Amino acid sequence: MACSVKVINDEITTTIAAIEESPPHLDTLKQVYLEIKRIVESTNDSLTKLLKGDYGEFPENSEMEAAAKIAAHFKSFYDRIQLKQVRENQPKFLVEEIQAMQTEEKTDFLKFFLQKRFTEISDHLRELPGLLWSYISKLVFNVLEKHCATCPQILSPKEAVRHLVESKKDAVAVLPLKYLEMERLIFNTFNPKYELLVSQSSTMEKELMEELSKGAQTMMLKNISLELVNIDHLSNYNSDIVQKAFQVYIKVGIYWDIVSLRLVEFMMIYMTSTIQELVDKIEGDLFMHICKGLMGR
């Protein structure tokens, strides 16, 4: 442990008033030490259970259902970065792609639109670590508060948790953004689903052109997801540019479906392992913070 019994003894001797305020069963240094040890070990044990989905210690408190809450954060993140969510402000099908092709020259339009998607989700990527870490902070605080309720004079749970969690917060926020930059630069996938779905999309492309020639107003997209889109406005554009715009739209959608899942999986692995690392080290780290708080440092 970072704080030896001798160091604790020297410091507590200078703050004898704090010891005198201890409950009867904590009237010696050894008893204080053992109580701190009990608190941190119990906190570690409770957090481990909560992260594994064992909520028996907190049966009436849904906020303590850590495994479910963390999974819900990732599900929400995945939903928000899906292509449909990102494109929800575009009122007309393929108009954005067509306008870009009319104004941009010698552009790789697939990369062009994917870069836009990466930019649009960057805020969500910044938010997720903060939201998760905020929840973990509250979780650790609630567990610690429960286990030190019988000895409130030993420490302020809020202060101990603040030191513990804040020390790791900055590092947690940096890596996801670095990962996003790697996705921007690499722009590749070995997922066979991409080539398969792109090759299958030629059938939909033919169907689109046939529907336009018939004067149809809507069409059901079946490649990425079932989606009814308006197509009547596309009759105002040259058929060649409509075909090219549709090809870009389909490729962006297929690639985004793959990369967004890859991004969420990376975040899930990274954040889960970081949280587990915090719990694994909590006995030593929390013991140190409690000792420092007790000694007035």
Side-chain angles (χ1 to χ4, degrees):
M1 293 294 182
C3 297
S4 67
V5 175
K6 183 179 182 303
V7 172
I8 297 174
N9 187 36
D10 291 340
E11 294 290 341
I12 292 182
T13 300
T14 64
T15 56
I16 191 66
I19 297 295
E20 291 175 347
E21 292 174 2
S22 300
H25 69 289
L26 294 180
D27 53 5
T28 68
L29 178 61
K30 181 178 179 181
Q31 289 171 333
V32 172
Y33 174 86
L34 291 175
E35 185 62 16
I36 295 174
K37 192 171 185 295
R38 179 197 67 78
I39 289 171
V40 296
E41 288 177 350
S42 298
T43 298
N44 178 282
D45 183 59
S46 295
L47 288 171
T48 299
K49 289 179 180 178
L50 291 171
L51 291 173
K52 290 181 178 179
D54 181 352
Y55 311 131
E57 286 187 49
F58 304 88
E60 305 298 327
N61 191 345
S62 62
E63 284 300 309
M64 301 302 286
E65 296 176 359
K69 288 288 183 182
I70 291 170
H73 275 294
F74 286 118
K75 176 63 168 61
S76 175
F77 175 65
Y78 180 68
D79 290 343
R80 282 184 289 165
I81 67 172
Q82 284 299 288
L83 182 62
K84 184 177 180 181
Q85 296 294 326
V86 174
R87 295 175 62 88
E88 63 184 2
N89 292 325
Q90 181 180 318
K92 292 187 177 182
F93 179 57
L94 296 186
V95 169
E96 183 182 12
E97 289 81 0
I98 291 173
Q99 289 177 343
M101 290 178 177
Q102 290 175 332
T103 57
E104 302 286 340
E105 294 183 2
K106 297 181 180 179
T107 297
D108 184 333
F109 290 105
L110 182 55
K111 287 186 178 181
F112 175 79
F113 284 106
L114 283 169
Q115 291 291 0
K116 289 188 64 177
R117 303 292 179 260
F118 284 128
T119 299
E120 289 166 352
I121 70 158
S122 60
D123 286 343
H124 295 311
L125 195 59
R126 289 187 183 93
E127 289 172 4
L128 180 63
L131 290 172
L132 267 177
W133 217 239
S134 176
Y135 172 72
I136 292 301
S137 178
K138 292 175 183 176
L139 181 74
V140 176
F141 171 75
N142 289 337
V143 172
L144 181 58
E145 186 178 46
K146 173 182 182 290
H147 290 300
C148 68
T150 57
C151 305
Q153 77 287 352
I154 283 186
L155 80 160
S156 164
K158 188 173 183 179
E159 187 66 15
V161 171
R162 186 182 69 80
H163 281 295
L164 181 66
V165 176
E166 288 293 325
S167 65
K168 305 178 186 300
K169 184 177 179 180
D170 291 341
V172 169
V174 171
L175 191 57
L177 294 176
K178 288 185 177 180
Y179 180 85
L180 184 62
E181 286 305 309
M182 286 191 289
E183 286 286 3
R184 285 179 182 272
L185 294 172
I186 295 172
F187 184 66
N188 197 7
T189 178
F190 291 103
N191 192 324
K193 177 182 175 182
Y194 179 76
E195 293 297 337
L196 176 64
L197 292 179
V198 168
S199 65
Q200 291 175 350
S201 68
S202 59
T203 302
M204 265 201 306
E205 183 181 327
K206 291 178 182 178
E207 183 182 344
L208 170 63
M209 302 315 294
E210 288 174 0
E211 292 299 309
L212 284 175
S213 66
K214 296 176 185 177
Q217 294 189 338
T218 61
M219 173 183 169
M220 182 67 72
L221 293 182
K222 304 173 185 177
N223 199 26
I224 306 167
S225 61
L226 289 177
E227 181 183 4
L228 185 66
V229 295
N230 293 320
I231 62 172
D232 57 324
H233 59 281
L234 296 178
S235 60
N236 298 323
Y237 300 99
N238 178 278
S239 60
D240 288 341
I241 200 169
V242 170
Q243 282 183 286
K244 290 177 181 177
F246 184 76
Q247 291 167 6
V248 169
Y249 173 84
I250 289 296
K251 288 180 179 179
V252 168
I254 295 170
Y255 188 85
W256 193 255
D257 190 51
I258 292 170
V259 79
S260 59
L261 180 59
R262 185 163 68 192
L263 180 58
V264 172
E265 287 177 338
F266 165 79
M267 290 295 293
M268 184 170 62
I269 292 170
Y270 170 63
M271 292 299 297
T272 302
S273 63
T274 303
I275 292 168
Q276 189 59 57
E277 181 182 349
L278 174 70
V279 173
D280 290 343
K281 294 182 177 180
I282 206 165
E283 283 191 42
D285 291 352
L286 190 56
F287 188 93
M288 178 183 69
H289 287 304
I290 292 175
C291 289
K292 286 183 176 180
L294 185 62
M295 295 182 292
R297 288 185 176 180

